[in-house]
């Protein structure tokens, strides 16, 4: 038996691209990717050795989605018509009385490039609350001023454990999505009387090479985020006005932690932010309060931010299990490592990037 995953969401959020990223080459042809244009009509089935993906057509504004039995009324609410389309597939498979045909899990995809979670998204997520993984795609396109509010809106709908932040293009968060999907698939396998250990082995074999590649890309992306944030902290600290850098430095660290969490597939809430900054002895802003001299502030700001980034990276790599002592050690190692870097050069690069923006 293989779990069946229903993949749904609005047109253009990257549903088919995600399936392609989660399967071996050739499973999903390139011409199935719509580049924000609708290409899937009804449902497309993509099968692998370990899982089946049922790719649903995208929800479109104003469109009334027809069910296979043509029972949809032309004056029906478009959102409800899309939900009816999804439910019709769930019921059709359930009526087959074949456990291998049933929908075991729903991936609801929404784009991180949107400014907020829309009512249509909330309706779909609530409908499948117990069996849904909410996948925020294109997290690399999330705007800095939207990221916290976007994630808070999702926390009101589902548990953080049901949210995965991914970028199919950059391969970020896919390993976390894989782990959460496997955890939810195992009970279905057991209920069907199948051998979970055997299924788990087949699953791991199918994804072993892909996971290695994802890990390398994720580590590289995380390192780039830390370097960027530390360089930005150095630029902020170069401001000659006393205490003018406090707010921006804190915001910079919080944004860095959000971005690092997203790279590893986690939606980061205030509890995680507070815990990380708290157990690491506060932020760069606190250490800078004792110094008003730019030539002292710059390496302090960069070093502390770099250390916080290294600790946060280790925390997310550990699946958020690293204890306070281990986090503190990672922070101090990072802070020490930062001393060997030329942060004045980083300031120039950061200001150049801001000018280009």
């Amino acid at each position: 038996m293989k779990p069946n995953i229903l993949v749904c969401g609005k047109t253009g959020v990257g549903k088919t691209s995600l399936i392609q990223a989660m399967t071996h080459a050739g499973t999903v042809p390139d011409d199935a990717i719509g580049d924000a244009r609708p290409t899937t009509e009804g449902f497309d089935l993509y099968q692998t050795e370990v899982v089946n993906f049922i790719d649903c057509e995208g929800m479109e504004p104003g469109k009334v989605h027809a069910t296979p039995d043509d029972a949809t009324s032309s004056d029906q609410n478009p959102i409800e018509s899309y939900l009816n389309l999804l439910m019709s597939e769930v019921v059709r498979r359930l009526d087959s009385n074949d456990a291998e045909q049933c929908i075991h899990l729903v991936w609801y995809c929404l784009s991180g490039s949107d400014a907020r979670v829309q009512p249509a998204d909330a309706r779909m997520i609530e409908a499948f609350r117990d069996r849904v993984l909410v996948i925020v795609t294109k997290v690399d396109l999330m705007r800095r001023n939207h990221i916290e509010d976007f994630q808070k809106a999702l926390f009101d709908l589902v548990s953080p454990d049901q949210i995965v932040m991914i970028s199919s293009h950059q391969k970020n968060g896919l390993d976390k999505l894989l782990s959460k999907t496997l955890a939810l698939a195992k009970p279905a396998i057991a209920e069907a009387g199948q051998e979970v250990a055997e299924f788990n082995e087949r699953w791991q074999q199918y994804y072993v090479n892909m996971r290695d590649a994802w890990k390398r890309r994720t580590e590289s992306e995380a390192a780039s985020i830390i370097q960027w944030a530390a360089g930005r902290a150095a630029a902020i600290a170069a401001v000659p006005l006393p205490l003018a850098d406090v707010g921006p430095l804190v915001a910079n660290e919080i944004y860095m932690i959000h971005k690092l969490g997203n790279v590893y597939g986690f939606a980061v809430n205030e509890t995680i932010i507070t815990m990380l900054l708290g157990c690491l002895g506060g932020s760069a802003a606190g250490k800078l309060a004792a110094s008003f001299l730019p030539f002292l502030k710059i390496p302090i700001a960069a070093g502390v931010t770099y250390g916080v980034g290294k600790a946060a990276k280790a925390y997310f790599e550990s699946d958020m299990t690293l204890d306070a002592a281990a986090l503190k050690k990672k922070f101090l190692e990072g802070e020490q490592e930062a001393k060997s870097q030329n942060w004045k050069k980083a300031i120039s690069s950061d200001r150049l990037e801001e000018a280009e923006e």
Side-chain angles (χ1 to χ4, degrees), residues 219-268:
E219 289 178 345
S220 176
E221 178 70 12
S224 296
I225 290 171
I226 294 169
Q227 194 70 29
W228 174 86
R232 189 169 181 79
I236 293 170
V239 176
L241 298 176
L243 302 180
D245 45 22
V246 173
L249 281 171
V250 173
N252 183 58
E253 288 179 340
I254 291 174
Y255 180 65
M256 175 184 66
I257 293 172
H258 273 294
K259 292 291 288 183
L260 287 171
N262 292 172
V263 163
Y264 286 95
F266 293 101
V268 179

Side-chain angles (χ1 to χ4, degrees), residues 111-128:
S111 176
S113 61
D114 291 342
R116 61 190 180 91
V117 178
Q118 302 291 333
D121 296 316
R123 177 73 178 99
M124 299 301 145
I125 293 169
E126 289 172 343
F128 295 103

Side-chain angles (χ1 to χ4, degrees), residues 58-118:
M59 177 169 48
E60 297 182 52
K63 176 180 178 179
V64 176
H65 298 265
T67 57
D69 59 8
D70 293 325
T72 304
S73 169
S74 60
D75 60 356
Q76 187 176 15
N77 181 299
I79 297 173
E80 294 304 316
S81 75
Y82 188 71
L83 182 57
N84 286 344
L85 174 64
L86 298 176
M87 288 301 186
S88 71
E89 180 67 7
V90 172
V91 172
R92 183 186 71 80
R93 288 171 169 269
L94 190 62
D95 286 346
S96 70
N97 293 319
D98 183 353
E100 295 191 8
Q101 293 297 315
C102 292
I103 301 294
H104 302 106
L105 180 63
V106 175
W107 282 2
Y108 185 79
C109 303
L110 63 164
S111 176
S113 61
D114 291 342
R116 61 190 180 91
V117 178
Q118 302 291 333

Side-chain angles (χ1 to χ4, degrees), residues 15 17 38 53 73 88 92 112 179 186 204 208 240 245 247 251 271 279 284 292 307 322 338 346:
K15 300 182 296 297
S17 296
F53 294 100
S73 169
S88 71
R92 183 186 71 80
S179 298
K186 284 181 177 179
Q204 300 299 342
V208 60
D245 45 22
T271 302
C279 74
F292 297 120
L322 218 59

